[in-house]
Amino acid sequence: MRKLINGVDLTLVVNDECEQTTRKVMNGALDFNKTGTKATFVEAAPRRAHTRNTKVWDGELLSMIVKPNGAYQVHTKNVNPLTVENFVQRMYNEACAVMIKAKNN
């Protein structure tokens, strides 16, 4: 697509002309010539969607994910230990349950 806007010859190069009307954001590079009378925007190649790690446990105090390489990672949730009754015992019980879940998978 090519247009003349405020005396600047603008060229737009996109990867897929059919989807242009539905897009709100395009990533790419904008180049100007030395005199500033010609600009070219070239859209970057589409990227694969970022896949998140799969959550295999989502408890009250802990959560566990499995990474793409098969390793497990346990995260503690953001809770105030003073508000949880028997915090240490409940954390221990949940950690044991998480380890059993990881061992059985």
Side-chain angles (χ1 to χ4, degrees):
M1 180 170 86
R2 201 168 177 177
K3 285 190 177 183
L4 189 65
I5 301 172
N6 293 335
V8 176
D9 184 16
L10 178 64
T11 305
L12 179 64
V13 180
V14 294
N15 288 320
D16 187 2
E17 293 288 338
C18 299
E19 292 183 17
Q20 184 177 353
T21 57
T22 60
R23 291 187 187 161
K24 293 183 180 179
V25 177
M26 290 190 290
N27 295 321
L30 181 63
D31 293 322
F32 288 93
N33 67 351
K34 290 184 180 183
T35 61
T37 58
K38 183 172 176 149
T40 305
F41 177 80
V42 179
E43 183 185 14
R47 293 180 293 189
R48 198 177 76 196
H50 175 70
T51 55
R52 298 190 57 106
N53 298 326
T54 305
K55 189 177 280 191
V56 293
W57 177 274
D58 191 21
E60 179 187 359
L61 302 172
L62 299 173
S63 64
M64 181 172 64
I65 60 170
V66 61
K67 293 184 170 187
N69 64 0
Y72 292 99
Q73 190 172 32
V74 178
H75 300 278
T76 58
K77 295 200 174 176
N78 189 10
V79 294
N80 183 355
L82 299 175
T83 62
V84 179
E85 188 176 335
N86 298 328
F87 175 76
V88 176
Q89 183 67 35
R90 289 171 80 176
M91 179 68 86
Y92 175 76
N93 290 341
E94 195 165 333
C96 289
V98 167
M99 298 310 289
I100 291 169
K101 173 82 173 179
K103 185 179 178 183
N104 291 336
N105 279 347

